[in-house]
Amino acid sequence: MTNGKIEKVAVIGAGVMGAGIAAQIANAGVPVLLLDIVPPGTAEGSDRSAIARTAIERLKKTDPAPLMSEKAARLIEPGNIDDDLARIGECDWIVEAVIERLDIKQALYAKIEAARRPDAAVSSNTSTIPLHDLVAGLPETFRLNFLITHFFNPPRYMRLLEVVAGADTDPAQAARVSRFADERLGKSIVRCKDSPGFIANRLGVYWIQAGVVEAIDLGLAIEDADAAMGRPFGIPKTGVFGLADLVGLDLMPHINASLAKSLPPADAFHALNRDLPLIGRMIEEGYTGRKGKGGFYRLNTANGGRVKESIDLATGAYRPSARADTETLKEAGRDLRALFNAPGPVGEYAWRVMGRTLAYAAGLVPEAADDIVAIDDAMRLGYNWKEGPFALIDRVGAAWLVERLKAEGATVPPLLEQIGDRKFYRVENGRLQFFGLDGDYHDVVRPEGVILLEDIRRRSQPVLKNGAASLWDIGDGVACFEITTRGNSLDDQVLDALDRTIKLVARGYKALVIYNEGRHFSVGANLGLALFAANIAAWGEIEKLVATGQKVYGALKHAPFPVVGAPSGMALGGGCELLLHSDAVQAHAETYAGLVECGVGLVPAWGGCKELLVRWSAPGKLPHGPMPAPAKVFEMVSTATVSKSAAEARDMLILREGDRVTMNRDRLLADAKARALELVEGYTPPERVEIVLPGPSGKLAMMMAAQGFHKRGIATDHDLVVADGLADVLSGSDADPTVPAAEKDVLRLERETFMRLARTPGTLARIEHMLLTGKPLRN
């Protein structure tokens, strides 16, 4: 690391977390050495690195996948501590992820210190042991380069990384590791104090324990408890009990005991940390959550059925799960005060759990973090809360919260007394500010190289706007087109805004970026509107929408300025077609893209078939001849294949050579803008191309494949109807295979086939099923 860069990493400990951390490092394209112990009793000649090797094989099979591609798996090299520890001398960062026992960790650190390079960083993934205990008695050279990097499980998908530096840690070393974790591993760094449980688990464990204990005390059904903890507070619908099942009930006693042991006697956690016989019995019987026979919820498959059941907290018996009683939640809406004041057990539960949790959060500054932003970020990123606790306090009102706490004789944290009737967050001169311990407000500062559209919105007005999309000036002559519909779905208003955007950018900007900060780039066309139009036989409106989409997407591709698509999350159907018509793609690593129209009985009709045919027909992609490219596209589109990462999207040619991947979601817009500016000088729009299509013989070959699936029971009768339409498009129908087809010919076939399929009852049934269940109809 003489150049300051981290170019190779060692992970010691090949358990679930260690292997997951190694996988994410490999996902970043960085070689990683994964070490574990030699299995006890290993015979001479046996694989002494079997634990690490088995962990790598397990990574390849785990779902959701820890690895973004097969190539990433090849970057992980297995080894063992006895034979290969000297090889950590090749590494710039050594991550320890072994069992949570101080004696074992310290014995390992002594060996690491003897083998590592003097400039190599060492960190622990511990979530329970304080840093000052970890380094006690170790040499200064080790303490200078040691820190805690607490990843959250699963490491690929959880963005939070808690970083704890010790009193002796070299700030430059902590900065190197943090920068690498941010830019290469895609982590959002939250700096924590060396206090028990750090931030997210300190507060999260308190919240879960309160949620379980108060539901038991109030005799509340777990469905009602999880509903109360979910949507009203912007918390995932798993709530408390669903989350406990996901994490594993067997971990709860260990985490609670470790936290209780390290917390001061006056900490409020102790009042909640009591023995719960029900949980002990569930663990003994194997009901440890999703990894066991079930947990608070289970799926009863007796007699061939699949019945979701919930445990009765009073009796411990399972019963069929019931719909939550949400009347109280409906009446309160987003008004948290109304919910806290609501009569009945649901309102009382909400107050006892979240009222206490918000107060507890206020007591963690400055003990666990220097400011409220770190607390809020930790809970958003580590527990997937939409808003952190201080943002929730702003919704309730700090003064109201203090008054309620005092009325009940509860302790009020000094920070809540200090804030008075002010808010913890405010916007001043277009900048987001937070309330500090000094009683003043301070700007929320983004890391260098981060541009967020939410900040741009605060300080400027859109250049163009309608009810479905906005256009923003993001500086340096670059505009950003943002879809704002639910799920960023595509409709006539989005197309109208995009059409106007193309004309406006051509007159006054250098380049365009298509981007948003929603959960998904775009889930595709608005199926609800399509179903409504079909039900009233407004076929002319549907055909108009298809034709308009083709026209606007074509104008986007051939605009006199570069266009960069910047997707994150789902980019499906028409959303994927936006990427296919862009000059370049700067994709977040977690991009799930594909043309999925066949899943609802349709074919891509905004140029998706045409663009994939062009890409797969390019020299060097497939064998020569008119058939390989259409056959490949038929295989992907007919099965509604979706990439499970940006790396897989590249394999599908949705991303091309030269398209780039951003690991950190917060850096996506800045990277896309930089890419757009790179393309400006000497830019010329792509030329229109002709495609060689195989004609009737090609269609016959495609349909033979589809009929084979049908005979095996994989494809339904209606799947064959859809496959026939898709084969028409990709073969050119009755096209002469010796005459190249123009882009407009393929677009015409897309449009005609789409309309033909849209009129079939089977397609309408599939659209309706998708809207009701969120899943494609398979039979």
Side-chain angles (χ1 to χ4, degrees):
M1 197 167 58
T2 53
N3 58 4
K5 294 181 179 180
I6 294 175
E7 297 174 335
K8 186 172 184 178
V9 180
V11 176
I12 305 177
V16 172
M17 282 303 298
I21 293 166
Q24 185 63 1
I25 293 166
N27 288 335
V30 176
V32 55
L33 180 64
L34 180 62
L35 306 179
D36 209 301
I37 62 171
V38 176
T42 298
E44 187 175 348
S46 299
D47 184 2
R48 291 169 59 82
S49 301
I51 293 177
R53 201 178 310 279
T54 301
I56 296 169
E57 291 304 310
R58 189 166 52 245
L59 288 172
K60 298 175 184 177
K61 301 172 185 176
T62 301
D63 186 26
L67 294 161
M68 293 181 180
S69 66
E70 292 181 8
K71 181 181 178 182
R74 296 196 290 270
L75 289 171
I76 308 175
E77 183 180 359
N80 69 78
I81 296 170
D82 287 358
D83 302 330
D84 303 306
L85 192 65
R87 293 194 56 201
I88 67 173
E90 307 166 8
C91 301
D92 305 307
W93 178 24
I94 300 111
V95 182
E96 170 269 302
V98 303
I99 189 171
E100 290 287 83
R101 273 182 49 184
L102 182 59
D103 58 334
I104 292 176
K105 290 179 186 289
Q106 287 202 320
L108 176 61
Y109 295 160
K111 296 177 181 178
I112 290 173
E113 178 65 359
R116 73 177 181 90
R117 287 206 322 266
D119 63 340
V122 183
S123 71
S124 174
N125 185 56
T126 184
S127 61
T128 60
I129 304 175
L131 186 147
H132 59 269
D133 288 344
L134 291 172
V135 298
L138 291 168
E140 181 183 6
T141 52
F142 185 86
R143 300 197 307 271
L144 278 170
N145 293 285
F146 185 83
L147 62 156
I148 288 172
T149 50
H150 179 214
F151 290 80
F152 279 67
N153 193 32
R156 170 180 167 182
Y157 300 98
M158 298 301 292
R159 291 176 57 193
L160 175 62
L161 181 69
E162 292 182 322
V163 173
V164 183
D168 298 325
T169 306
D170 180 0
Q173 189 71 282
R176 286 189 194 100
V177 171
S178 296
R179 184 167 58 251
F180 175 82
D182 170 348
E183 297 176 1
R184 299 296 299 277
L185 303 186
K187 300 301 170 188
S188 293
I189 309 301
V190 172
R191 290 171 176 80
C192 310
K193 301 286 190 69
D194 188 17
S195 62
F198 313 131
I199 298 175
N201 281 348
R202 173 82 173 272
L203 185 56
V205 170
Y206 179 93
W207 169 68
I208 291 172
Q209 186 70 7
V212 173
V213 166
E214 295 300 347
I216 292 172
D217 288 351
L218 287 166
L220 200 64
I222 63 172
E223 296 96 332
D224 292 342
D226 282 346
M229 282 299 100
R231 182 174 292 178
F233 298 98
I235 291 172
K237 62 182 180 181
T238 52
V240 166
F241 292 95
L243 178 60
D245 280 355
L246 187 62
V247 172
L249 272 65
D250 53 327
L251 295 179
M252 289 178 61
H254 298 292
I255 294 171
N256 288 3
S258 177
L259 196 56
K261 181 181 177 181
S262 57
L263 289 171
D267 194 272
F269 177 74
H270 297 297
L272 293 169
N273 186 34
R274 67 188 196 221
D275 181 52
L276 299 173
L278 172 64
I279 292 179
R281 195 191 80 204
M282 292 171 71
I283 294 170
E284 287 178 7
E285 295 176 357
Y287 287 96
T288 55
R290 294 191 186 183
K291 63 185 177 183
K293 296 191 293 185
F296 292 111
Y297 298 96
R298 74 175 184 181
L299 195 64
N300 189 338
T301 57
N303 302 318
R306 290 176 62 86
V307 179
K308 184 179 180 182
E309 295 182 335
S310 307
I311 202 163
D312 186 302
L313 295 175
T315 67
Y318 283 96
R319 53 168 176 74
S321 296
R323 292 180 66 88
D325 180 5
T326 57
E327 196 59 40
T328 299
L329 305 180
K330 287 179 182 178
E331 290 181 7
R334 282 183 50 82
D335 187 340
L336 296 186
R337 282 196 207 179
L339 177 56
F340 287 155
N341 284 328
V346 171
E348 181 66 17
Y349 178 77
W351 165 251
R352 287 194 192 183
V353 178
M354 285 305 293
R356 284 181 176 181
T357 299
L358 297 181
Y360 192 72
L364 296 183
V365 184
E367 180 192 350
D370 286 326
D371 56 55
I372 67 169
V373 178
I375 305 285
D376 277 359
D377 284 350
M379 293 309 291
R380 285 191 307 100
L381 298 165
Y383 281 77
N384 287 325
W385 289 17
K386 188 175 182 180
E387 299 174 284
F390 290 95
L392 289 172
I393 292 173
D394 280 349
R395 282 176 56 191
V396 175
W400 182 91
L401 182 59
V402 168
E403 184 179 348
R404 176 81 180 254
L405 291 169
K406 286 182 175 178
E408 297 185 356
T411 301
V412 177
L415 186 59
L416 282 179
E417 293 274 21
Q418 185 183 8
I419 190 76
D421 60 358
R422 291 172 290 179
K423 288 186 175 293
F424 280 107
Y425 292 99
R426 72 177 189 185
V427 176
E428 190 75 10
N429 298 321
R431 294 187 176 276
L432 180 64
Q433 297 184 330
F434 68 93
F435 184 78
L437 287 173
D438 59 0
D440 203 355
Y441 284 91
H442 305 270
D443 289 347
V444 174
V445 179
R446 308 297 184 192
E448 184 179 354
V450 169
I451 301 173
L452 296 181
L453 207 52
E454 66 172 90
D455 292 336
I456 292 170
R457 289 194 209 98
R458 290 189 186 98
R459 60 177 181 260
S460 63
Q461 295 296 317
V463 178
L464 178 154
K465 180 179 174 64
N466 67 10
S470 301
L471 183 68
W472 301 91
D473 186 328
I474 58 173
D476 301 312
V478 181
C480 176
F481 182 77
E482 175 196 26
I483 304 169
T484 56
T485 54
R486 183 176 180 180
N488 298 314
S489 60
L490 304 161
D491 58 21
D492 57 340
Q493 286 195 73
V494 173
L495 294 176
D496 177 66
L498 184 56
D499 186 42
R500 291 161 58 200
T501 288
I502 294 167
K503 297 179 176 71
L504 193 154
V505 172
R507 293 195 303 269
Y509 289 86
K510 298 176 182 177
L512 176 67
V513 169
I514 303 175
Y515 163 91
N516 63 71
E517 285 166 6
R519 183 180 176 190
H520 299 300
F521 179 73
S522 174
V523 297
N526 187 325
L527 290 177
L529 287 178
L531 182 63
F532 175 77
N535 283 334
I536 62 172
W539 304 114
E541 291 302 311
I542 296 177
E543 188 162 13
K544 178 183 175 183
L545 183 67
V546 174
T548 300
Q550 290 187 348
K551 175 186 173 184
V552 173
Y553 278 40
L556 185 74
K557 178 178 180 178
H558 298 286
F561 51 81
V563 177
V564 175
S568 179
M570 293 181 185
L572 305 180
C576 181
E577 288 173 304
L578 271 176
L579 304 180
L580 293 171
H581 286 80
S582 299
D583 293 289
V585 174
Q586 183 76 44
H588 180 231
E590 299 297 346
T591 293
Y592 319 120
L595 298 176
V596 297
E597 288 84 352
C598 287
V600 291
L602 298 168
V603 296
W606 285 342
C609 295
K610 176 255 300 180
E611 289 301 314
L612 279 183
L613 282 171
V614 169
R615 294 183 182 199
W616 282 101
S617 298
K621 297 301 180 186
L622 292 170
H624 293 297
M627 191 59 200
K632 181 65 177 178
V633 177
F634 181 81
E635 175 190 333
M636 290 194 303
V637 178
S638 66
T639 56
T641 302
V642 176
S643 71
K644 295 179 181 178
S645 66
E648 285 194 8
R650 190 184 302 280
D651 294 339
M652 295 166 64
L653 298 192
I654 293 170
L655 269 63
R656 296 162 292 186
E657 190 175 345
D659 287 339
R660 299 173 184 172
V661 175
T662 296
M663 292 294 285
N664 190 322
R665 178 67 176 79
D666 288 345
R667 296 184 176 277
L668 182 57
L669 180 56
D671 289 350
K673 176 184 174 182
R675 180 68 177 131
L677 288 171
E678 287 178 17
L679 297 173
V680 168
E681 188 172 352
Y683 175 78
T684 56
E687 295 181 358
R688 299 185 186 277
V689 298
E690 294 184 329
I691 311 162
V692 177
L693 300 176
S697 61
K699 178 179 179 180
L700 178 62
M702 292 181 217
M703 288 309 298
M704 287 177 64
Q707 286 160 1
F709 283 121
H710 183 260
K711 287 178 182 178
R712 291 162 55 192
I714 299 172
T716 67
D717 291 344
H718 192 65
D719 285 333
L720 285 184
V721 175
V722 179
D724 183 80
L726 180 63
D728 262 344
V729 175
L730 299 177
S731 67
S733 188
D734 56 357
D736 182 344
T738 65
V739 179
E743 288 185 7
K744 64 180 182 180
D745 297 326
V746 183
L747 288 173
R748 174 183 55 78
L749 285 169
E750 285 186 9
R751 188 167 62 248
E752 291 174 353
T753 304
F754 182 96
M755 292 306 303
R756 185 171 74 249
L757 291 171
R759 287 180 164 89
T760 64
T763 291
L764 297 180
R766 288 188 173 210
I767 293 174
E768 187 170 15
H769 185 271
M770 176 67 79
L771 290 170
L772 289 173
T773 68
K775 299 176 181 179
L777 183 64
R778 293 302 184 194
N779 50 51

